[in-house]
Amino acid sequence: MYSHWRYANEFCLSVPLAIARTNCPVTTQAKPGCMSLGYLQWLYANEYMYYRIAHMLSSAEHPHIRYNPLRDDWILVSPHRAKRPWQGQVEKGEDAAIPRHDPKNPLCPGNTRASGKVNPNYEGTFVFTNDFQALMEDTPMPEPSSDPLFQTAQARGTCKVMCFHPWSDMTLPLMEVKAIRSVVDKWAEINKDLGERYTWVQIFENRGAIMGCSNPHPHCQVWASSFLPNELAIKDRTQRQYMEKHGKPMLVDYLEKELKKQERIVLESKHWVWLVPYWATWPYETMLLPKHHVLHLHELSDQAREDLAVMMKKLLTKYDNMFEVSFPYSMGWHGAPTGEWLQKDCSHWQLHASYYPPLLRSATVKKFMVGYEMLAQGQRDLTPEQAAEKLRSLPDVHYKERNK
């Protein structure tokens, strides 16, 4: 506001005194000395301020686009659309009773899977090779093609399933911190082990049927591949370019600036920050970032792992408290590539986890990424700042545990 006033006054001072005296804005008579120069300056400054205010962008009201430096693309933000009535598809609630142990569930302890293998009576985490893998370890090399429009490359890899807990009715936010810490340690172990053999190790969790999860038992998946997937190839390029230009890893620099602004921070601890990215696409999309520079999960210190377990319980509790439902999402970890990349300089990378929840207005109304989003660019209604404020305001105690 002050800068606008100062700019207007500087402009008025540049107007010759004779012109100011003979062009009084509040009189139709052009006569010398009709008004002081000081009053004219004040009047012009205020008119300028009113004009600027009337035409100033309000990110909470007006459509605008935001740049995503990680993906090198733009997202359309349309906050005014949040007011529109909804008569579209309504999802079913997903908090139906789930048996603690289902003898027909292939992920439960002691049960037989489709492959004929029997699960051990595990009491903590349990990892096994997916019975229906998307990748195979021994895949033949395809014939080379000279046609640029028909290219094929070899794809080798393996797919694992990791159960978090022996009980099917348990979820991460309801687990004890000690049990979540076991999940974190197992993630780190798998990332290190498979990373010695494969270029990329993708740890991800699809939670809820709305996100394509075919089994309610608490679990995640790990896909390791001999190639760098598309999303990560983009992130490697953008982070490398940022490092070359600014001399600092992009997400390290970004977190420092977000901590100063405090506009999109949801939770902060000694080692971690949970925030809504400035460029978030999904309604309540968030990112989990370490406060120190680290490239891989297995490089996290003991203190950082313990703090991560506490942070995960808190953030997932807030998610569930949003609509008092087991909040669906897809999440995953992104760090520096592995395999042959371990011998390269990957200091431009920063470890981070991303959460992509689809729910928008309630437990039954989700955001659809169709039409414009598929054919043009991503779009969101709720602003990232509004989403962060909503998440911050939610209770820290899980809704299922309030009356215990």
Side-chain angles (χ1 to χ4, degrees), residues 382-401:
L382 192 71
T383 69
E385 294 75 29
Q386 291 169 336
E389 183 179 0
K390 176 64 175 178
L391 287 167
R392 278 194 300 267
S393 69
L394 295 170
D396 295 325
V397 178
H398 199 279
Y399 71 93
K400 289 186 176 181
E401 298 179 333

Side-chain angles (χ1 to χ4, degrees), residues 98-102 105 107-108 165-171 215-218:
I98 298 173
R100 180 154 293 183
H101 184 279
D102 182 351
N105 191 324
L107 299 186
C108 285
H165 197 278
W167 297 353
S168 291
D169 60 347
M170 183 62 70
T171 59
N215 195 310
H217 195 90

Side-chain angles (χ1 to χ4, degrees), residues 172-173 175-188 203 267-274 287-292 294 296-316 331-333 351-355:
L172 280 170
M175 289 166 55
E176 296 181 357
V177 171
K178 181 179 179 180
I180 300 175
R181 168 64 191 269
S182 295
V183 171
V184 172
D185 286 340
K186 184 59 68 173
W187 279 343
I203 298 170
L267 291 173
E268 181 181 354
S269 66
K270 182 178 181 181
H271 296 278
W272 295 90
V273 175
W274 186 43
M287 181 181 288
L288 188 56
L289 284 159
K291 284 187 172 180
H292 61 290
V294 59
H296 305 102
L297 266 171
H298 60 266
E299 295 172 351
L300 291 173
S301 66
D302 182 72
Q303 294 81 5
R305 294 186 189 193
E306 188 70 21
D307 199 23
L308 174 57
V310 175
M311 178 67 84
M312 285 176 57
K313 184 174 178 66
K314 288 181 178 180
L315 73 87
L316 293 176
M331 71 79 63
W333 285 97
L351 177 69
H352 59 284
S354 295
Y355 288 82

Side-chain angles (χ1 to χ4, degrees), residues 26 43 96 99 108 121 201 206 225 243 279 283 302 358 367 379:
V26 293
L43 184 62
C108 285
N121 290 309
V201 180
N206 293 328
S225 63
M243 182 81 160
W279 52 80
D302 182 72
K367 166 69 177 177
Q379 183 274 336

Side-chain angles (χ1 to χ4, degrees), residues 91-144:
E91 303 292 332
K92 295 180 179 179
E94 295 191 9
D95 259 3
I98 298 173
R100 180 154 293 183
H101 184 279
D102 182 351
K104 296 182 180 180
N105 191 324
L107 299 186
C108 285
N111 288 357
T112 302
R113 305 199 305 274
S115 63
K117 296 181 179 179
V118 180
N119 297 332
N121 290 309
Y122 62 92
E123 297 181 352
T125 60
F126 169 52
V127 180
F128 64 91
T129 300
N130 198 318
D131 297 319
F132 302 96
Q133 295 192 76
L135 292 160
M136 301 174 63
E137 294 188 358
D138 298 318
T139 302
M141 185 75 72
E143 291 292 326

